[in-house]
Amino acid sequence: MSYTTRVLEDATKKHASEPEFIQAMTEILTTLKPFADARPAYEEMGILERLVEPERIIIFRVPWIDDAGKFRVNLGYRVQFNSAIGPYKGGLRFHPSVSLSIIKFLGFEQIFKNSLTGLPIGGGKGGSDFDPKGKSYREVMSFCQSFMTELYRHVGANTDVPAGDIGVGAREVGFMFGQYKRLTNSFEGVFTGKGLTYGGSLARTEATGYGLVYLTEEMLKNHGKTIEGKTVIISGSGNVAVYAAQKTAQLGGVVVAMSDSNGFIYDANGIDLAAVKEIKEIKRGRISEYKNYRPSSVYTEGRGIWNTKCDIAFPCATQNELSEEDAKALVANGCFAVGEGANMPSTLEATEVFLQNRILFAPGKAANAGGVATSALEMSQNSQRLAWSFDEVDKKLKDIMVNIYAGINEAAKEAGKTDNFVAGANIAGFKKVAEAMMQQGAV
Ligand code: NDP
């Protein structure tokens, strides 16, 4: 049995109760197989065995009191996966579906994504099964302060630098940063995605969505195409989706559908993004309310967005939101490019459909790396005690995305898998981390 197969089989048995983590490992190790098996030094130094085990997992209870005076308790997680190339870096997710498996899959992906950015950041991820939906301002603050009262001892500007993710935006980062500062008496860059008044970076809010579109545009350009004039559908209506939609429109694409966890809207004239932002960012409402702004639009309950005809699809909501059937529907309807804004939104089977049909497919760990890359730029600005202009950060972001595309394109070609950017991203991300781990010995 080959080295990669053995490690995957052993880890799959050992972590049998963690389906999302097994899915992420399967995707990465399967595509790494020819590359890693051909280099005996990896096996000699146990690189893959070490890579699939987090350096540290922290699980803790988060007690808090709701507005009715009732005691509540949630679980908090931080998985510090790999610090070979820099301090752990990765977001915090607050969503009722959060489990150890989900945090481990996100942390594992983060190692390779962060490596692809070319910046010195290791991989980590955290979160809680707390559901911010329907909670008051006071309840969210109370939860965040309690969460940080445990987490503060495990993070720090040179140790582990969390950020936002699903359910964690600028408001929650502010509460957690404030509590960290109060507990440690230290004002340091322990979070990214901070508010602009206390060390946040311009363009961080836009970065993941913008970066996704920059990388996709570069991929299209290399295949004689552009976003201009194309019909685009985007799942989700959160941070990543909104700014992917904004950049798409700036480049002349027409976004005709967006969604949330209840359903999706279709607007043949192009989505009115100001309306979506008002509904989701200000009112914290449901996407179905879009009909009040554009009566000619159509709202459909449920997860049918992938049956909408389009040229380009950007899944930007959550993991496994795009199934094999969805992928087949996209292909049948003439979609020729898919860029993953979310982490692992396509199932393994859906990814296979895209690759078999030679769809230009940009996997999440490359396509959505603009967020964490800009977070690393926020860390640089904090260390320098400087703040760069929006244009400066945006330009750096664009350069990083263009470089990521060049890296994954080259790695795919070298592996004899031209245009297979799944393989390209996994190999390019892995190489640097493996090299650093070998140089640092048995740690
Ligand atoms: P937000 O919380 O801002 O938005 C998430 C969006 O996805 C919302 O529209 C939400 O709908 C929808 N959604 C969430 N869960 C589900 C579900 N189970 N089924 C259907 N829809 C769902 O999160 P982000 O935009 O920050 O993150 C979106 C994705 O992008 C995640 O996979 C995240 O890991 C990834 N990502 C985010 C980065 C960032 O910088 N923010 C960086 C890199 C990746 P509703 O409003 O109904 O909850």
Side-chain angles (χ1 to χ4, degrees), residues 395-439:
K395 185 179 176 315
K396 285 186 172 37
L397 166 66
K398 193 168 179 186
D399 289 346
I400 289 169
M401 299 316 292
V402 168
N403 277 334
I404 292 177
Y405 177 76
I408 64 174
N409 187 31
E410 198 182 302
K413 278 193 184 137
E414 270 175 26
K417 290 185 176 278
T418 301
D419 287 349
N420 179 337
F421 305 118
V422 177
N426 289 341
I427 295 169
F430 168 77
K431 260 163 83 172
K432 180 174 163 190
V433 176
E435 188 60 37
M437 286 174 76
M438 292 201 288
Q439 288 175 15

Short mmCIF file of all heavy atoms in Angstrom, two decimals, residues 395-439:
data_model
loop_
_atom_site.label_atom_id
_atom_site.label_comp_id
_atom_site.label_asym_id
_atom_site.label_seq_id
_atom_site.Cartn_x
_atom_site.Cartn_y
_atom_site.Cartn_z
N LYS A 395 -4.55 46.69 -4.13
CA LYS A 395 -3.57 46.34 -5.17
C LYS A 395 -2.74 45.13 -4.73
O LYS A 395 -2.49 44.21 -5.51
CB LYS A 395 -2.65 47.55 -5.45
CG LYS A 395 -1.72 47.26 -6.58
CD LYS A 395 -0.78 48.37 -6.95
CE LYS A 395 0.18 47.95 -8.05
NZ LYS A 395 0.79 46.63 -7.86
N LYS A 396 -2.33 45.15 -3.44
CA LYS A 396 -1.57 44.00 -2.92
C LYS A 396 -2.42 42.73 -3.02
O LYS A 396 -1.94 41.66 -3.38
CB LYS A 396 -1.15 44.25 -1.47
CG LYS A 396 0.00 45.23 -1.31
CD LYS A 396 0.41 45.29 0.16
CE LYS A 396 1.65 46.07 0.50
NZ LYS A 396 2.00 47.27 -0.14
N LEU A 397 -3.71 42.87 -2.66
CA LEU A 397 -4.63 41.73 -2.71
C LEU A 397 -4.69 41.17 -4.14
O LEU A 397 -4.58 39.95 -4.36
CB LEU A 397 -6.03 42.15 -2.24
CG LEU A 397 -7.17 41.19 -2.53
CD1 LEU A 397 -7.02 39.88 -1.77
CD2 LEU A 397 -8.53 41.83 -2.16
N LYS A 398 -4.85 42.06 -5.08
CA LYS A 398 -4.96 41.61 -6.48
C LYS A 398 -3.68 40.90 -6.92
O LYS A 398 -3.74 39.83 -7.54
CB LYS A 398 -5.23 42.82 -7.38
CG LYS A 398 -5.65 42.42 -8.75
CD LYS A 398 -6.18 43.59 -9.53
CE LYS A 398 -6.57 43.08 -10.92
NZ LYS A 398 -6.97 44.13 -11.80
N ASP A 399 -2.53 41.47 -6.56
CA ASP A 399 -1.25 40.84 -6.91
C ASP A 399 -1.16 39.44 -6.29
O ASP A 399 -0.69 38.49 -6.92
CB ASP A 399 -0.06 41.67 -6.41
CG ASP A 399 0.08 42.97 -7.21
OD1 ASP A 399 -0.56 43.07 -8.28
OD2 ASP A 399 0.81 43.87 -6.76
N ILE A 400 -1.60 39.33 -5.03
CA ILE A 400 -1.53 38.03 -4.34
C ILE A 400 -2.40 37.01 -5.08
O ILE A 400 -1.99 35.87 -5.33
CB ILE A 400 -1.95 38.17 -2.86
CG1 ILE A 400 -0.88 38.93 -2.07
CG2 ILE A 400 -2.20 36.80 -2.23
CD1 ILE A 400 -1.29 39.36 -0.67
N MET A 401 -3.62 37.41 -5.48
CA MET A 401 -4.53 36.47 -6.15
C MET A 401 -3.96 36.05 -7.52
O MET A 401 -4.06 34.88 -7.91
CB MET A 401 -5.93 37.07 -6.31
CG MET A 401 -6.64 37.44 -5.02
SD MET A 401 -6.55 36.26 -3.65
CE MET A 401 -7.51 34.89 -4.25
N VAL A 402 -3.36 37.00 -8.21
CA VAL A 402 -2.76 36.68 -9.52
C VAL A 402 -1.59 35.70 -9.31
O VAL A 402 -1.44 34.72 -10.05
CB VAL A 402 -2.31 37.98 -10.23
CG1 VAL A 402 -1.42 37.68 -11.43
CG2 VAL A 402 -3.53 38.79 -10.66
N ASN A 403 -0.82 35.93 -8.25
CA ASN A 403 0.29 35.01 -7.93
C ASN A 403 -0.20 33.64 -7.53
O ASN A 403 0.41 32.62 -7.87
CB ASN A 403 1.13 35.57 -6.76
CG ASN A 403 2.13 36.58 -7.27
OD1 ASN A 403 2.53 36.53 -8.43
ND2 ASN A 403 2.52 37.50 -6.41
N ILE A 404 -1.29 33.61 -6.77
CA ILE A 404 -1.83 32.30 -6.37
C ILE A 404 -2.24 31.53 -7.62
O ILE A 404 -1.93 30.35 -7.78
CB ILE A 404 -3.04 32.45 -5.41
CG1 ILE A 404 -2.58 33.01 -4.06
CG2 ILE A 404 -3.74 31.10 -5.20
CD1 ILE A 404 -3.70 33.27 -3.07
N TYR A 405 -2.90 32.22 -8.54
CA TYR A 405 -3.31 31.53 -9.77
C TYR A 405 -2.07 31.00 -10.51
O TYR A 405 -2.04 29.84 -10.95
CB TYR A 405 -4.14 32.43 -10.70
CG TYR A 405 -4.45 31.69 -11.97
CD1 TYR A 405 -5.44 30.71 -11.98
CD2 TYR A 405 -3.70 31.89 -13.12
CE1 TYR A 405 -5.68 29.95 -13.12
CE2 TYR A 405 -3.94 31.14 -14.27
CZ TYR A 405 -4.93 30.18 -14.26
OH TYR A 405 -5.16 29.41 -15.37
N ALA A 406 -1.03 31.84 -10.60
CA ALA A 406 0.18 31.40 -11.31
C ALA A 406 0.76 30.16 -10.63
O ALA A 406 1.17 29.20 -11.30
CB ALA A 406 1.20 32.54 -11.33
N GLY A 407 0.76 30.15 -9.30
CA GLY A 407 1.33 29.03 -8.54
C GLY A 407 0.55 27.74 -8.75
O GLY A 407 1.13 26.68 -8.98
N ILE A 408 -0.78 27.84 -8.69
CA ILE A 408 -1.57 26.59 -8.81
C ILE A 408 -1.59 26.10 -10.27
O ILE A 408 -1.64 24.91 -10.53
CB ILE A 408 -3.01 26.74 -8.24
CG1 ILE A 408 -3.85 27.76 -9.03
CG2 ILE A 408 -2.96 27.14 -6.77
CD1 ILE A 408 -5.32 27.82 -8.58
N ASN A 409 -1.51 27.04 -11.19
CA ASN A 409 -1.48 26.70 -12.61
C ASN A 409 -0.19 25.95 -12.93
O ASN A 409 -0.19 24.89 -13.58
CB ASN A 409 -1.59 27.99 -13.42
CG ASN A 409 -1.75 27.75 -14.90
OD1 ASN A 409 -2.33 26.74 -15.30
ND2 ASN A 409 -1.22 28.64 -15.72
N GLU A 410 0.91 26.48 -12.40
CA GLU A 410 2.21 25.86 -12.66
C GLU A 410 2.30 24.48 -12.00
O GLU A 410 2.75 23.52 -12.62
CB GLU A 410 3.30 26.78 -12.10
CG GLU A 410 4.66 26.51 -12.65
CD GLU A 410 5.67 27.43 -12.00
OE1 GLU A 410 5.49 28.67 -12.09
OE2 GLU A 410 6.61 26.92 -11.38
N ALA A 411 1.82 24.39 -10.75
CA ALA A 411 1.89 23.10 -10.04
C ALA A 411 1.04 22.06 -10.76
O ALA A 411 1.43 20.88 -10.86
CB ALA A 411 1.43 23.27 -8.59
N ALA A 412 -0.11 22.48 -11.30
CA ALA A 412 -0.97 21.53 -12.02
C ALA A 412 -0.25 21.04 -13.28
O ALA A 412 -0.23 19.84 -13.57
CB ALA A 412 -2.29 22.20 -12.39
N LYS A 413 0.37 21.97 -13.98
CA LYS A 413 1.09 21.59 -15.22
C LYS A 413 2.24 20.63 -14.90
O LYS A 413 2.41 19.61 -15.55
CB LYS A 413 1.65 22.84 -15.90
CG LYS A 413 0.61 23.54 -16.75
CD LYS A 413 1.24 24.59 -17.66
CE LYS A 413 0.15 25.32 -18.40
NZ LYS A 413 0.36 26.76 -18.46
N GLU A 414 3.02 20.99 -13.85
CA GLU A 414 4.17 20.16 -13.47
C GLU A 414 3.74 18.74 -13.12
O GLU A 414 4.47 17.78 -13.34
CB GLU A 414 4.87 20.77 -12.25
CG GLU A 414 5.96 21.75 -12.64
CD GLU A 414 6.55 22.44 -11.41
OE1 GLU A 414 6.51 21.86 -10.29
OE2 GLU A 414 7.04 23.56 -11.58
N ALA A 415 2.53 18.63 -12.55
CA ALA A 415 2.04 17.31 -12.15
C ALA A 415 1.40 16.58 -13.33
O ALA A 415 0.82 15.51 -13.16
CB ALA A 415 1.04 17.46 -11.00
N GLY A 416 1.45 17.21 -14.50
CA GLY A 416 0.84 16.59 -15.69
C GLY A 416 -0.67 16.68 -15.65
O GLY A 416 -1.37 15.86 -16.25
N LYS A 417 -1.20 17.64 -14.90
CA LYS A 417 -2.66 17.77 -14.78
C LYS A 417 -3.09 19.19 -15.14
O LYS A 417 -3.72 19.89 -14.34
CB LYS A 417 -3.08 17.45 -13.34
CG LYS A 417 -2.93 15.98 -12.98
CD LYS A 417 -3.48 15.71 -11.60
CE LYS A 417 -3.43 14.23 -11.26
NZ LYS A 417 -4.51 13.46 -11.78
N THR A 418 -2.73 19.62 -16.31
CA THR A 418 -3.04 20.98 -16.76
C THR A 418 -4.51 21.31 -16.53
O THR A 418 -5.39 20.51 -16.84
CB THR A 418 -2.69 21.10 -18.26
OG1 THR A 418 -1.30 20.82 -18.39
CG2 THR A 418 -2.95 22.51 -18.78
N ASP A 419 -4.74 22.49 -15.96
CA ASP A 419 -6.09 23.01 -15.69
C ASP A 419 -6.83 22.29 -14.56
O ASP A 419 -7.98 22.60 -14.29
CB ASP A 419 -6.98 23.01 -16.95
CG ASP A 419 -6.55 24.10 -17.92
OD1 ASP A 419 -5.73 24.96 -17.53
OD2 ASP A 419 -7.04 24.09 -19.07
N ASN A 420 -6.16 21.34 -13.90
CA ASN A 420 -6.78 20.75 -12.70
C ASN A 420 -6.25 21.55 -11.50
O ASN A 420 -5.22 21.24 -10.92
CB ASN A 420 -6.40 19.26 -12.59
CG ASN A 420 -7.02 18.64 -11.35
OD1 ASN A 420 -7.34 19.32 -10.38
ND2 ASN A 420 -7.18 17.32 -11.38
N PHE A 421 -7.00 22.61 -11.16
CA PHE A 421 -6.51 23.51 -10.11
C PHE A 421 -6.72 22.96 -8.71
O PHE A 421 -6.20 23.50 -7.73
CB PHE A 421 -7.15 24.89 -10.27
CG PHE A 421 -6.93 25.47 -11.64
CD1 PHE A 421 -7.99 25.74 -12.49
CD2 PHE A 421 -5.64 25.68 -12.11
CE1 PHE A 421 -7.77 26.25 -13.77
CE2 PHE A 421 -5.41 26.17 -13.39
CZ PHE A 421 -6.48 26.46 -14.22
N VAL A 422 -7.49 21.87 -8.60
CA VAL A 422 -7.61 21.19 -7.30
C VAL A 422 -6.26 20.57 -6.97
O VAL A 422 -5.69 20.80 -5.90
CB VAL A 422 -8.72 20.11 -7.35
CG1 VAL A 422 -8.79 19.36 -6.03
CG2 VAL A 422 -10.07 20.73 -7.68
N ALA A 423 -5.75 19.81 -7.93
CA ALA A 423 -4.42 19.21 -7.73
C ALA A 423 -3.36 20.31 -7.59
O ALA A 423 -2.50 20.26 -6.70
CB ALA A 423 -4.08 18.30 -8.91
N GLY A 424 -3.45 21.31 -8.44
CA GLY A 424 -2.45 22.40 -8.42
C GLY A 424 -2.41 23.08 -7.06
O GLY A 424 -1.33 23.32 -6.50
N ALA A 425 -3.58 23.39 -6.49
CA ALA A 425 -3.64 24.10 -5.21
C ALA A 425 -3.11 23.21 -4.08
O ALA A 425 -2.37 23.66 -3.21
CB ALA A 425 -5.08 24.54 -4.91
N ASN A 426 -3.50 21.94 -4.11
CA ASN A 426 -3.07 21.06 -3.02
C ASN A 426 -1.56 20.85 -3.04
O ASN A 426 -0.90 20.90 -2.00
CB ASN A 426 -3.82 19.72 -3.10
CG ASN A 426 -5.29 19.88 -2.73
OD1 ASN A 426 -5.67 20.87 -2.09
ND2 ASN A 426 -6.11 18.95 -3.15
N ILE A 427 -1.02 20.64 -4.22
CA ILE A 427 0.43 20.39 -4.31
C ILE A 427 1.21 21.67 -3.96
O ILE A 427 2.13 21.64 -3.15
CB ILE A 427 0.82 19.87 -5.72
CG1 ILE A 427 0.18 18.50 -5.96
CG2 ILE A 427 2.34 19.78 -5.87
CD1 ILE A 427 0.26 18.00 -7.39
N ALA A 428 0.80 22.79 -4.56
CA ALA A 428 1.53 24.04 -4.31
C ALA A 428 1.47 24.41 -2.82
O ALA A 428 2.48 24.83 -2.23
CB ALA A 428 0.97 25.16 -5.17
N GLY A 429 0.30 24.25 -2.20
CA GLY A 429 0.16 24.60 -0.77
C GLY A 429 0.97 23.66 0.11
O GLY A 429 1.62 24.09 1.07
N PHE A 430 0.96 22.38 -0.24
CA PHE A 430 1.63 21.36 0.57
C PHE A 430 3.15 21.50 0.56
O PHE A 430 3.81 21.37 1.60
CB PHE A 430 1.22 19.98 0.05
CG PHE A 430 2.03 18.84 0.59
CD1 PHE A 430 1.83 18.37 1.88
CD2 PHE A 430 3.01 18.22 -0.19
CE1 PHE A 430 2.58 17.32 2.38
CE2 PHE A 430 3.77 17.18 0.30
CZ PHE A 430 3.56 16.72 1.58
N LYS A 431 3.72 21.76 -0.63
CA LYS A 431 5.18 21.74 -0.79
C LYS A 431 5.90 22.61 0.24
O LYS A 431 6.86 22.20 0.88
CB LYS A 431 5.55 22.25 -2.19
CG LYS A 431 5.86 21.15 -3.17
CD LYS A 431 5.81 21.61 -4.60
CE LYS A 431 7.03 22.29 -5.12
NZ LYS A 431 6.92 22.52 -6.59
N LYS A 432 5.41 23.83 0.39
CA LYS A 432 6.10 24.78 1.28
C LYS A 432 5.99 24.35 2.75
O LYS A 432 6.97 24.40 3.51
CB LYS A 432 5.46 26.17 1.09
CG LYS A 432 6.06 27.24 1.94
CD LYS A 432 5.46 28.59 1.56
CE LYS A 432 5.71 29.62 2.62
NZ LYS A 432 4.92 30.84 2.37
N VAL A 433 4.79 23.90 3.14
CA VAL A 433 4.59 23.48 4.53
C VAL A 433 5.46 22.25 4.82
O VAL A 433 6.12 22.18 5.88
CB VAL A 433 3.09 23.16 4.78
CG1 VAL A 433 2.88 22.63 6.19
CG2 VAL A 433 2.24 24.40 4.55
N ALA A 434 5.49 21.30 3.89
CA ALA A 434 6.28 20.07 4.09
C ALA A 434 7.76 20.41 4.22
O ALA A 434 8.46 19.89 5.09
CB ALA A 434 6.04 19.12 2.92
N GLU A 435 8.22 21.32 3.39
CA GLU A 435 9.62 21.72 3.41
C GLU A 435 9.95 22.34 4.78
O GLU A 435 10.96 22.01 5.41
CB GLU A 435 9.85 22.75 2.29
CG GLU A 435 11.29 23.16 2.04
CD GLU A 435 12.18 21.99 1.65
OE1 GLU A 435 11.70 21.10 0.93
OE2 GLU A 435 13.35 21.98 2.12
N ALA A 436 9.10 23.22 5.25
CA ALA A 436 9.33 23.87 6.56
C ALA A 436 9.32 22.84 7.68
O ALA A 436 10.15 22.88 8.60
CB ALA A 436 8.27 24.94 6.80
N MET A 437 8.40 21.88 7.61
CA MET A 437 8.32 20.84 8.65
C MET A 437 9.59 20.00 8.65
O MET A 437 10.11 19.65 9.71
CB MET A 437 7.09 19.95 8.42
CG MET A 437 5.78 20.63 8.78
SD MET A 437 4.33 19.64 8.33
CE MET A 437 4.33 18.41 9.62
N MET A 438 10.10 19.68 7.47
CA MET A 438 11.32 18.85 7.40
C MET A 438 12.50 19.61 8.00
O MET A 438 13.31 19.05 8.73
CB MET A 438 11.58 18.43 5.96
CG MET A 438 10.51 17.46 5.48
SD MET A 438 10.99 16.43 4.08
CE MET A 438 11.00 17.57 2.78
N GLN A 439 12.57 20.90 7.70
CA GLN A 439 13.70 21.68 8.21
C GLN A 439 13.65 21.86 9.72
O GLN A 439 14.66 22.04 10.37
CB GLN A 439 13.75 23.05 7.51
CG GLN A 439 14.21 22.92 6.06
CD GLN A 439 14.14 24.24 5.30
OE1 GLN A 439 14.01 25.29 5.91
NE2 GLN A 439 14.22 24.17 3.99
#
